[in-house]
Amino acid sequence: MSISNTMWVEKYRPQKISDIVNQKEIVGSITALLKNVSEMPHLLFSGSAGIGKTTLALCLSREILGERWREYTLELNASDERGINMVRERVKKFSRFAGLDTEIPFKIIILDEADEMTGDAQTALRRIIEDTSKFCRFILIANNISKIIEPIQSRCAVFKFTRIEENDVVTHLKEIAKKEKVKVDEDGLKMIYDYTEGDLRHAINLLQASSSLGAVTEENVKASAGLTRTSDVDAVLKLAVAGKILEARNKMIELIKVYGMSESDFLKYLNEAVYRTKQPNLAEISQAIAEYDYRILSGANPEIQLSALLAQISNLGK
Ligand SMILES: Nc1ncnc2c1ncn2[C@@H]1O[C@H](COP(=O)(O)OP(=O)(O)OP(=O)(O)O)[C@@H](O)[C@H]1O
Ligand SMILES: [Mg+2]
């Protein structure tokens, strides 16, 4: 089973615009725009984390572009360290490839974290948007709209997403719990909402985490919200040392993605676990942990680095 199947946030990410929770006004306006797709402007989605911005962008692509939507959709992250030149290169290549099929009105470029771009980069982005407008529509996503330069804002239809209201969060969590055959009680759900304050991604993750403790009760929600889950890190180490590299990696990713453990905490607990369990190759493993800790601090991709670390530990275990 892949990690995206085990994570409820992905498993239950809406595929259709009509399945989006809350954001009624936005869904209404977007649906209206879809009546005349060829006239659709560029879009700018703003708002806090976990409330449906990326989800709606993907639904929109699917609905406009049909079955082969993936081929005609380019997803980019603007905060990528390679910067605006990477964006320019990728957009250029993408807008050029193949001729436009008659069955699609335009290609779609989803640019996440656009507010992380510097002013200069945004000015360059504005040129890129203009140069490719004939064949492409942009969906820009930003947490903080005030960091987007005015000339870009004025070229887009702007949609400000709001946090999801308590009723909608609770109803949505109940639906998921029912499908997963998990026991929930009202106090547990209320506690999830109190912790997550309308961030639906966080709420679903907390639902999953607390249900793994048995049932979604107030007590279990509290426990999983504050939990450091060191025993799970022990389990990752054990799997890695036993050479079960895939299982170790899946569990590591689950800890980080579902339970929100930071990469540096993961390494810290791993280091403690190595000494506590008195591993035979203690020195080598400890050295490896230090090396990967340094690499992540220097900006290397944490998921790749931690996977490589587990692979190395598994080699040392042989
Ligand atoms: N409005 C919503 N309706 C249904 N599910 C949602 C909604 N918002 C968030 N979710 C759930 O949370 C997950 C994350 O949502 P999404 O990726 O759309 O967040 P986002 O607003 O783009 O956040 P970020 O700013 O962190 O990128 C989805 O996979 C889905 O399971
Ligand atoms: Mg997003």
Side-chain angles (χ1 to χ4, degrees), residues 8-10 12-14 19-23 47-56 112 141 143 164 172 200-201 204:
W8 294 355
V9 274
E10 287 308 328
Y12 296 104
R13 188 197 283 276
D19 290 336
I20 301 246
V21 174
N22 205 277
Q23 318 297 6
S48 60
I51 55 180
K53 302 183 298 297
T54 302
T55 304
L56 180 55
D112 224 323
I141 304 184
N143 286 120
I164 319 282
H172 192 60
L200 196 51
R201 177 198 289 118
I204 296 170

Side-chain angles (χ1 to χ4, degrees), residues 93-163:
K93 237 191 216 155
F94 174 74
S95 62
R96 230 189 277 129
F97 94 93
L100 265 191
D101 286 25
T102 43
E103 67 222 64
I104 64 155
F106 43 71
K107 298 170 189 170
I108 293 180
I109 300 168
I110 302 173
L111 186 63
D112 224 323
E113 302 195 32
D115 51 341
E116 296 292 319
M117 300 175 105
T118 62
D120 284 348
Q122 289 188 36
T123 305
L125 174 65
R126 173 186 152 187
R127 274 294 304 273
I128 297 171
I129 294 177
E130 276 167 1
D131 291 347
T132 52
S133 265
K134 208 164 166 209
F135 303 115
C136 300
R137 287 296 176 283
F138 278 77
I139 304 179
L140 305 177
I141 304 184
N143 286 120
N144 186 350
I145 191 163
S146 66
K147 287 207 240 155
I148 300 289
I149 60 172
E150 202 282 328
I152 288 189
Q153 288 196 35
S154 66
R155 279 169 177 76
C156 298
V158 177
F159 295 93
K160 294 183 177 153
F161 286 59
T162 50
R163 286 168 180 276

Side-chain angles (χ1 to χ4, degrees), residues 237 240-241 270 285 288-289 308-318:
L237 177 65
V241 170
L270 189 66
I285 297 181
I289 292 176
L309 170 60
L310 294 177
Q312 193 166 332
I313 292 177
S314 129
N315 277 334
L316 289 169
K318 274 177 196 156

Side-chain angles (χ1 to χ4, degrees), residues 38-91:
S38 61
E39 303 279 294
M40 190 182 96
H42 303 295
L43 308 177
L44 173 54
F45 294 171
S46 77
S48 60
I51 55 180
K53 302 183 298 297
T54 302
T55 304
L56 180 55
L58 295 173
C59 288
L60 205 49
S61 273
R62 218 179 259 117
E63 262 160 66
I64 294 174
L65 304 175
E67 238 169 68
R68 293 166 67 194
W69 68 280
R70 284 223 169 266
E71 285 171 53
Y72 302 113
T73 305
L74 177 65
E75 272 189 87
L76 290 176
N77 196 314
S79 70
D80 188 292
E81 68 280 5
R82 286 161 297 174
I84 186 69
N85 290 327
M86 177 279 294
V87 172
R88 186 183 291 113
E89 286 313 308
R90 303 267 320 258
V91 168

